[in-house]
Amino acid sequence: MSPDEWESLCDRCGRCCLHKLENEDSGDIYFTDVACCYLDEESCSCKHYEKRQSLAVNCLVVKPDWAERFHWLPSTCAYRLIYENKELPEWHPLVSGDKDSVHLAGISVRGRTFRDNEVAEEQLIEHLITWVN
Ligand code: SF4
Ligand code: SF4
């Protein structure tokens, strides 16, 4: 897969830019509705994509050899689905042919997030959500 093809797999849902909490005993991941402050809340894309890693220390670049770390991504993420040998859903822009289908299907985080520069780290526990897993 070429770099452009790999990049095109991203549906721009913005879910991976939500803060997560991990159960240290079980390793289970729980998503919150607190998003990185660099996420554009309308487009659900990164405002500073090219220099994202220098801006946000916890921002990770998804790579094909991530292996077990794919479980950090939401279950709907195309990269995780491909890793798990699952098909892309019908709302994925590559399937629907419409870049807005991820929003229309209610998959993106558009309009549903708080910003991490407005929520204290110790308050994350109060922001756990069930609409991303
Ligand atoms: S969760 Fe996956 S598909 Fe959605 S924006 Fe992040 S990398 Fe792209
Ligand atoms: S810096 Fe990283 S975590 Fe933050 S919005 Fe951009 S891609 Fe998402």
Side-chain angles (χ1 to χ4, degrees):
M1 198 179 290
S2 72
D4 282 350
E5 288 171 331
W6 178 256
E7 198 67 25
S8 73
L9 281 174
C10 179
D11 58 30
R12 307 290 188 263
C13 68
R15 290 183 168 201
C16 58
C17 302
L18 298 176
H19 285 265
K20 307 166 229 0
L21 296 174
E22 180 178 22
N23 181 316
E24 289 183 357
D25 296 325
S26 66
D28 291 342
I29 304 295
Y30 300 93
F31 284 81
T32 73
D33 59 7
V34 180
C36 172
C37 61
Y38 299 115
L39 185 73
D40 183 304
E41 292 164 316
E42 181 64 20
S43 69
C44 301
S45 296
C46 184
K47 293 178 188 169
H48 303 286
Y49 190 69
E50 296 304 325
K51 53 181 180 181
R52 61 195 187 284
Q53 283 198 292
S54 59
L55 291 172
V57 289
N58 293 323
C59 182
L60 299 173
V61 176
V62 183
K63 295 183 176 161
D65 61 356
W66 253 26
E68 72 279 0
R69 282 200 285 170
F70 279 102
H71 82 284
W72 272 89
L73 292 169
S75 58
T76 54
C77 175
Y79 296 110
R80 179 168 168 178
L81 291 172
I82 296 289
Y83 175 71
E84 295 174 345
N85 290 317
K86 295 177 180 170
E87 294 195 356
L88 297 181
E90 60 186 17
W91 49 258
H92 192 287
L94 286 180
V95 178
S96 67
D98 177 0
K99 65 179 174 51
D100 286 329
S101 55
V102 66
H103 306 301
L104 295 171
I107 299 298
S108 81
V109 302
R110 178 184 280 175
R112 296 196 276 184
T113 60
F114 295 84
R115 299 167 66 82
D116 64 4
N117 54 3
E118 296 168 348
V119 177
E121 196 170 339
E122 57 269 24
Q123 290 179 308
L124 285 177
I125 192 82
E126 300 165 22
H127 285 266
L128 291 172
I129 53 172
T130 54
W131 50 270
V132 178
N133 55 36

